[in-house]
Amino acid sequence: MWEITKVYREQLPAVRLIGRKYGKKDADASGAFAGIWEQWFQEGLFAPLDALPLAGSEPGAYLGFMQLTPELEYWIGVFCQEGTVPPDGYEALDIEPSDLGVCWIQGPEEEVYGREQACIDALRDAGMNPIIRCMERYQCPRFTTPDDQGRVILDLCFFLES
């Protein structure tokens, strides 16, 4: 069983997201990008990014960053220091300093995904106003090392109205 175990506000400094951008056409039939993530790990696509000057409130976390521009953009990558040059084959997106509303979703890995509406509700209950720009933050060891009950923690972060 999954649950939201922590809800809080944090400040994200100006960062550069470096990774690769995908769209709706790249998603699977259910609208998910799990196959793309598998490809990243199978092909070692994070290795060139791990060597960059990482930044953000949780440096080193792998990100699934989503925004509408007006089409869906889904980025897989990491936050780096401003001005970092992306390696060949990668793109960059500059992110302005922002307030984030963060929810920790804890449970078996297969149950922590797709909890955006529950997080939006929890953030609103905590007095925050999330917008439709968010990210999955896979932070080691919260996500990579299950507890004694087999649960991991996925951070779901929403940008907040200023």
Side-chain angles (χ1 to χ4, degrees):
M1 178 87 185
W2 69 274
E3 64 181 319
I4 296 174
T5 59
K6 190 172 184 179
V7 177
Y8 61 99
R9 177 187 294 259
E10 75 178 31
Q11 294 235 269
L12 178 69
V15 291
R16 176 169 270 189
L17 172 62
I18 295 183
R20 292 186 179 166
K21 178 175 56 173
Y22 301 93
K24 190 175 180 179
K25 66 177 176 36
D26 300 303
D28 64 22
S30 70
F33 293 88
I36 305 283
W37 279 93
E38 288 176 20
Q39 176 187 3
W40 271 69
F41 288 112
Q42 288 171 357
E43 297 179 13
L45 297 176
F46 281 108
L49 304 183
D50 290 336
L52 298 174
L54 302 174
S57 48
E58 300 251 2
Y62 295 155
L63 306 170
F65 179 90
M66 297 164 271
Q67 66 180 3
L68 298 173
T69 61
E71 297 295 319
L72 171 69
E73 287 184 6
Y74 184 88
W75 289 74
I76 296 177
V78 297
F79 282 149
C80 294
Q81 294 174 8
E82 290 181 282
T84 302
V85 177
D88 288 343
Y90 295 85
E91 302 174 75
L93 176 68
D94 292 323
I95 308 289
E96 66 282 352
S98 304
D99 286 332
L100 298 177
V102 180
C103 291
W104 284 12
I105 306 160
Q106 185 173 31
E109 182 179 348
E110 64 276 3
E111 294 182 16
V112 298
Y113 302 110
R115 305 301 175 192
E116 288 82 2
Q117 188 59 55
C119 288
I120 288 169
D121 293 343
L123 293 169
R124 287 184 177 149
D125 288 348
M128 294 178 247
N129 195 11
I131 61 172
I132 311 256
R133 187 182 203 197
C134 65
M135 64 184 163
E136 304 152 331
R137 184 169 61 192
Y138 300 92
Q139 180 61 40
C140 177
R142 283 195 301 270
F143 184 79
T144 57
T145 305
D147 67 11
D148 59 354
Q149 296 175 7
R151 299 174 305 174
V152 298
I153 296 174
L154 173 65
D155 299 13
L156 195 55
C157 309
F158 282 83
F159 286 71
L160 301 174
E161 273 188 6
S162 40

